[in-house]
Amino acid sequence: MTETIDSEAVKLSGSLPLVLKGMSVRREEAAGEATGHAAALLDRIDLTLSPGEWLYVVGTNGSGKSTLGKIVAGLGIPGELRAERWERGFAGNAPAPYVMQQPDAQLFATTPREEIVFALEWLGVSGAAIHRLANEALDEVGLAAAADLPWSELSGGQRQLAAVAAAAAGHAPLLVLDEATSMLDGESQSLARKLAQRRQREGAAVVWITQRIEELEQDPERRVVALAAGRLIYDGKAHAFLYGEAQGKAGASVPPCLLAGLRLPFRAELEREVEQRRRLAGRVRAAGSPHEFERPTNLAAQAEGPATPSETPSETPSEAPSYAQQALRIEGLRLRADDHGDLPGGRPLTLVPGRIVVLLGPNGSGKTHLLELAAGLREAKDIRTFFEDMPSLRPVAENKAARRLRMLAYSYAGQSPEDQLFARTVEEELDYVIRPYHLDKEARGERKGDALQAVGFGTAWLDRDPFAMSGGERRRTALACALAAPASWLLLDEPTAGLDAQGCDRLARSLKEERYKGRGILLVSHDPDWAMPLADELLLLGEDGELRHCSRPALLEHPEWWVEAGLRLPPSYEAAREAWRLGLAERQCWRPADVAAFNRGRGPDSAGDAAAINRGDGRIAGAAVAIGTADGAPPKERKLPKAVARRNRLSAFDPRAIWLGYVALSLSMFAAPGWSGLAASAALTAAVVGLARLPLGEYKGPLFAFALFAFTSAALSGLTGSSGESGAWWHAADSLATFRSFAKTWLVLAIGIALPAAIPPLRLRRALTQALPRKGGAGRRSQRLVLTVTLLLRFVPQLLAEWNRFARIALARGKDIGRSPAAALRKLRSTAVPFMLALFRMGETVTLALESRGIGRRDAPTEAERLRWQTRDSILLAVIALACAALMLSSRFFT
């Protein structure tokens, strides 16, 4: 990063504001490119942030929000930075805590408690206070019950809460959260928000970057800045941003939220519609038509409602569906009672095509897991998935042909779908997902054109390089790929996460069109205000794993079902329910324009009542639903997973003893001669894995790959060796020697690959820190070494999990279930390229997270506790020594 401060050096003061004046950032597209031709990330931004201030930052995708957040936090950015004035003020010279959208690359320990302790130790907090502060932070984000669970047993939302807690635990003067709640449910959002509010009350400034504009409604007097194309276009209060400035009799101005290309929240949109109709009614009465908005005498007719302008002719079902009519049936799920109160018993969940089914549930309930089960990308005991032709609904025997047909039945886009792109052009990406369907050239071109149009692109985008696009453009490309495949079903996981208002609206229109063409759509969402108007059916997945399948009208009758699933009632639901109770047709009550028109039609004063309710004074709903159950009971306490003793038995020992024992075992295995030595080594490995409860199942992929490599190498040695008779085509001695060597290496790897999971990185760091120098130059070098080793061991399991994730995505997109070498190479390319790109992104995120947490800034961290060599550690080494001796003696005895 190049920094040029045109006027004065960066200043530091504990009470002065943070000041940016004339701040510009340009990305250098290529080495040596002139600055004037480089892409602008920020363009002459003027911003002042006071101590203890709360600042919202909003804008469309690519507007520069994250770049501004990184600059405010004091982090490095790519490109050239220029400023007339840059004063860090109360924030200090050190980078501020900065929380990003994706949690995994920001977590450096193995459990929430260890993560917060790790952060506090590097902040120099005294050992006596570390555990107290860690427990407080865990309580603040509702993770006390899950404090000692590994990340693999927590949902993405729970991991994100842990990242927020670790960033806020140090009570820094500035906290920056960059879309940190975009993938959180309502309850988790509230927890993260309350934690940030507590830090603000303590005197910290909070910069809250968000795409969830409805969050601004909770703080109408707080400050908002909006960005567009790198320029600051609004700086004022949240209420004026959402509702516009009052202009006398002319009413309010156009809300700056709309001018910024963002979507108004339901409440703000409803109030705006009500106000527009009030002004229109005044003009009509002034023109002498007082009965324009009289209430209909037949309320039943009003309830049915006429066709509305939003129901365009294109939204009527097609006479002939464009897609094969296949039902999605899932057996083995735990279903709650249906709309009529009937218990489903052993009945499977059956979803029919031509419907949009929205899956809602709290973080940690298993929504993504259920979607992957539906796609056949995961296996679960007693749960089976079928795509069946309508109307027979007969299960098909599971064989290779049936599995391929099941893969072709759906198109899948997981969380962060842009991460799965790997081709050099958009057209290559589209061809990749269409190829398995064997369409002719004309049909392929039509599918590609329709998919691009659905996300707002033209055919000129076919030659664009996805890796030269912005993040929002890459996400739209990935969604276009999902739409392009002519599958009967679309499976989408959080498709609106990170999308701006225009992107969300465009996606909604595309999904409606696909529905009316006969395609089934199953989507996961944390945005009920966006998803509810689309939904034909709903799946509510509770924290207990039980699933409720219901319709929108049934959900309007049973508000307690939200709480039953661990969800909060969305504001749009409360307004829709009251309008429905008063007689508005169900299909209309989810649209603010229709609700406003209905309220206006009910009488001259009802519009004012509706607007008042939207402002939160409770009068809009009349007999409004209590948050909790229908009878007004308080909401039940949210359940969190309880920590269980699943750790392997090695976690109780000193890491130094474990690694010394592993080295001794490895050397003994390699030294054991002959086949008897190999057999004894295999028996010893099985004993270690069983007694220590090492999770080898999590690493079956790499172990299988190494075994395949070993057998291949042994076969090549047999073909190319020199032992045996001259001229023989097979050399058995060479093949067996190679196999024996690789087999020992595999046994050593089988123990070593699972050891990082057996030893928490925090304990390993403490062990190494106590064993190595801590002062002077040697101490600094040893601490860097310890930190490097700790991070490597932390992220090895994460990298393996990422590889498995991209392998599943490649299978879902490419539909290639073949096992031939050619198929393996094809799958390798579609897995390896996104995986490597993800590694680069992860590296950047890890660097930012380390810098913002202050890790590595000090010569050495403080210690919450010191490891002490225990008697059990000596006993462990003694047992391992005896095992090594027995291995050597047995191998020599039987040789």
Side-chain angles (χ1 to χ4, degrees):
M1 178 182 71
T2 303
E3 298 179 3
T4 304
I5 308 302
D6 294 337
S7 61
E8 55 186 301
V10 175
K11 296 181 179 179
L12 172 64
S13 174
S15 59
L16 295 177
L18 184 152
V19 179
L20 303 178
K21 183 173 177 58
M23 176 70 70
S24 297
V25 181
R26 296 184 180 274
R27 179 189 293 116
E28 297 176 355
E29 299 290 351
E33 186 177 16
T35 300
H37 298 285
L41 299 173
L42 293 176
D43 189 9
R44 298 193 62 79
I45 297 294
D46 294 337
L47 181 70
T48 300
L49 181 67
S50 301
E53 184 177 9
W54 185 291
L55 176 68
Y56 286 109
V57 180
V58 299
T60 57
N61 292 126
S63 60
K65 302 186 300 296
S66 293
T67 302
L68 179 60
K70 292 171 185 175
I71 290 176
V72 170
L75 300 173
I77 57 171
E80 183 180 13
L81 183 151
R82 294 180 179 274
E84 298 174 9
R85 183 181 175 195
W86 185 8
E87 299 177 0
R88 294 285 298 162
F90 71 92
N93 284 329
Y98 179 79
V99 184
M100 290 159 278
Q101 180 177 348
Q102 299 295 336
D104 292 330
Q106 306 173 72
L107 301 174
F108 307 113
T110 54
T111 68
R113 188 190 307 280
E114 291 176 354
E115 183 66 30
I116 298 173
V117 169
F118 184 74
L120 293 172
E121 286 182 334
W122 278 104
L123 291 175
V125 178
S126 64
I130 285 178
H131 285 295
R132 175 180 58 80
L133 292 174
N135 289 333
E136 289 177 359
L138 288 167
D139 287 334
E140 287 176 316
V141 294
L143 288 179
D148 298 308
L149 288 176
W151 302 129
S152 60
E153 297 184 25
L154 299 179
S155 70
Q158 291 165 328
R159 297 196 296 272
Q160 182 71 316
L161 285 175
V164 172
H171 298 261
L174 172 62
L175 180 63
V176 181
L177 298 102
D178 188 353
E179 297 192 37
T181 63
S182 63
M183 299 178 70
L184 299 182
D185 59 39
E187 183 67 23
S188 297
Q189 290 175 45
S190 177
L191 290 170
R193 186 182 188 86
K194 288 178 180 177
L195 175 58
Q197 289 172 337
R198 278 190 286 269
R199 294 298 178 268
Q200 188 204 15
R201 287 195 296 269
E202 295 168 0
V206 176
V207 177
W208 190 278
I209 303 172
T210 184
Q211 291 276 18
R212 293 178 178 267
I213 306 302
E214 62 271 15
E215 292 178 333
L216 277 61
E217 292 183 304
Q218 303 176 40
D219 303 296
E221 296 302 313
R222 281 184 172 160
R223 182 182 172 200
V224 177
V225 298
L227 297 173
R231 300 183 69 89
L232 195 146
I233 62 172
Y234 178 83
D235 188 345
K237 291 186 176 181
H239 185 272
F241 181 73
L242 296 175
Y243 298 96
E245 297 286 352
Q247 296 180 346
K249 294 182 179 180
S253 61
V254 177
C257 180
L258 295 178
L259 298 177
L262 300 171
R263 182 182 60 180
L264 283 175
F266 187 93
R267 283 178 173 172
E269 186 176 357
L270 177 55
E271 184 163 334
R272 184 168 183 265
E273 293 285 351
V274 167
E275 178 63 20
Q276 287 179 339
R277 280 164 172 74
R278 185 190 63 78
R279 294 200 306 270
L280 178 60
R283 290 196 295 269
V284 170
R285 286 194 294 269
S289 302
H291 303 293
E292 179 72 19
F293 292 97
E294 287 185 358
R295 183 178 181 177
T297 57
N298 187 346
L299 189 59
Q302 171 69 13
E304 291 299 322
T308 62
S310 60
E311 294 176 343
T312 62
S314 65
E315 291 185 347
T316 57
S318 304
E319 294 183 2
S322 303
Y323 299 96
Q325 296 297 280
Q326 293 180 301
L328 169 58
R329 184 163 66 90
I330 307 177
E331 296 179 348
L333 297 175
R334 296 162 52 201
L335 301 180
R336 299 187 191 272
D338 60 19
D339 292 359
H340 305 288
D342 299 327
L343 292 175
R347 192 173 68 233
L349 172 68
T350 302
L351 306 177
V352 298
R355 310 275 285 176
I356 296 179
V357 184
V358 175
L359 174 58
L360 301 172
N363 291 121
S365 58
K367 299 182 298 299
T368 296
H369 188 75
L370 177 57
L371 201 67
E372 292 182 344
L373 285 174
L377 301 179
R378 287 187 183 270
E379 296 180 358
K381 185 179 180 181
D382 300 328
I383 295 181
R384 302 176 64 197
T385 303
F386 304 94
F387 288 93
E388 304 162 340
D389 292 336
M390 299 283 290
S392 65
L393 295 181
R394 294 177 180 175
V396 181
E398 184 68 9
N399 52 39
K400 184 176 180 179
R403 188 184 179 205
R404 177 169 176 78
L405 289 176
R406 184 177 69 178
M407 298 295 295
L408 292 173
Y410 70 85
S411 181
Y412 177 81
Q415 294 182 4
S416 303
E418 65 275 12
D419 292 348
Q420 67 198 23
L421 303 179
F422 66 93
R424 298 305 305 174
T425 66
V426 172
E427 186 168 24
E428 288 181 23
E429 288 286 353
L430 293 169
D431 285 334
Y432 175 73
V433 298
I434 295 175
R435 188 178 298 116
Y437 296 90
H438 304 293
L439 303 180
D440 58 41
K441 183 176 181 180
E442 182 179 354
R444 289 198 307 271
E446 184 177 353
R447 296 294 309 178
K448 289 188 283 189
D450 290 346
L452 291 175
Q453 185 178 3
V455 297
F457 291 163
T459 55
W461 285 75
L462 289 171
D463 295 327
R464 292 282 299 272
D465 183 354
F467 304 111
M469 298 179 183
S470 68
E473 290 170 342
R474 295 182 70 243
R475 174 158 295 201
R476 288 159 65 186
T477 300
L479 292 174
C481 291
L483 294 169
S488 301
W489 280 84
L490 270 177
L491 307 180
L492 306 176
D493 194 353
E494 299 283 359
T496 60
L499 283 183
D500 54 31
Q502 293 177 348
C504 292
D505 292 342
R506 189 182 294 113
L507 177 62
R509 289 194 300 269
S510 299
L511 295 183
K512 287 179 182 178
E513 297 217 353
E514 293 299 314
R515 171 181 61 189
Y516 289 112
K517 290 178 182 177
R519 176 178 270 185
I521 300 166
L522 174 59
L523 66 90
V524 174
S525 179
H526 276 313
D527 187 356
D529 287 352
W530 175 84
M532 289 296 291
L534 293 174
D536 298 302
E537 303 171 31
L538 294 159
L539 296 174
L540 302 179
L541 183 59
E543 295 164 311
D544 56 3
E546 291 193 354
L547 188 71
R548 180 178 294 283
H549 183 201
C550 66
S551 62
R552 286 191 319 197
L555 187 59
L556 287 174
E557 292 180 1
H558 297 279
E560 71 274 9
W561 287 355
W562 289 94
V563 182
E564 174 188 73
L567 296 168
R568 292 188 166 200
L569 273 70
S572 58
Y573 172 84
E574 298 182 56
R577 183 175 190 272
E578 182 59 18
W580 172 75
R581 284 181 63 256
L582 294 174
L584 182 62
E586 185 275 332
R587 70 175 183 272
Q588 295 177 288
C589 65
W590 305 100
R591 295 190 287 259
D594 292 341
V595 174
F598 175 71
N599 274 281
R600 187 64 201 167
R602 292 182 58 242
D605 299 324
S606 60
D609 291 340
I613 296 168
N614 269 328
R615 288 194 296 270
D617 61 6
R619 291 177 359 204
I620 200 168
V625 181
I627 301 294
T629 59
D631 59 3
K636 62 182 180 181
E637 184 178 352
R638 184 172 188 178
K639 297 179 181 178
L640 284 172
K642 294 182 179 180
V644 292
R646 294 183 183 176
R647 286 192 176 183
N648 53 70
R649 294 171 176 171
L650 292 180
S651 60
F653 293 93
D654 191 307
R656 293 168 291 187
I658 296 174
W659 283 105
L660 285 173
Y662 173 65
V663 171
L665 283 175
S666 301
L667 293 176
S668 299
M669 289 181 184
F670 283 124
W675 291 101
S676 60
L678 178 60
S681 298
L684 182 58
T685 300
V688 170
V689 171
L691 292 173
R693 297 177 182 172
L694 297 180
L696 283 191
E698 298 179 10
Y699 308 99
K700 60 183 179 181
L703 290 174
F704 176 80
F706 189 86
L708 182 63
F709 176 73
F711 281 109
T712 303
S713 300
L716 290 175
S717 295
L719 293 172
T720 61
S722 58
S723 63
E725 297 181 5
S726 177
W729 70 274
W730 180 252
H731 307 276
D734 291 320
S735 177
L736 293 175
T738 301
F739 173 78
R740 187 166 61 238
S741 175
F742 275 106
K744 289 183 178 180
T745 305
W746 188 92
L747 294 173
V748 171
L749 176 65
I751 298 176
I753 197 172
L755 279 186
I759 308 172
L762 189 60
R763 284 177 59 84
L764 177 63
R765 181 180 64 78
R766 289 187 184 128
L768 293 176
T769 299
Q770 293 174 201
L772 296 174
R774 293 177 57 86
K775 296 182 179 180
R780 286 190 293 271
R781 288 190 295 271
S782 68
Q783 288 303 315
R784 285 195 291 268
L785 174 64
V786 168
L787 181 59
T788 301
V789 171
T790 302
L791 294 178
L792 284 175
L793 293 180
R794 157 66 182 97
F795 284 107
V796 164
Q798 175 66 26
L799 295 179
L800 292 174
E802 282 292 285
W803 177 270
N804 291 333
R805 181 173 77 91
F806 282 112
R808 292 195 301 270
I809 292 174
L811 178 63
R813 297 182 75 223
K815 318 294 183 185
D816 196 340
I817 61 173
R819 298 183 181 274
S820 65
L825 288 175
R826 290 194 299 269
K827 287 186 281 190
L828 179 64
R829 176 184 176 236
S830 57
T831 301
V833 174
F835 175 74
M836 295 303 297
L837 294 171
L839 287 188
F840 293 135
R841 289 192 296 270
M842 181 182 291
E844 180 182 357
T845 304
V846 168
T847 301
L848 288 174
L850 289 171
E851 187 179 1
S852 70
R853 297 264 198 94
I855 297 173
R857 195 183 305 157
R858 302 166 58 89
D859 289 342
T862 56
E863 294 180 348
E865 58 183 329
R866 288 183 62 84
L867 293 179
R868 300 184 183 279
W869 191 272
Q870 304 288 338
T871 303
R872 61 173 175 264
D873 301 316
S874 300
I875 294 175
L876 175 65
L877 287 182
V879 171
I880 291 175
L882 289 175
C884 292
L887 172 64
M888 298 303 296
L889 289 174
S890 62
S891 60
R892 293 184 183 277
F893 179 78
F894 290 104
T895 299

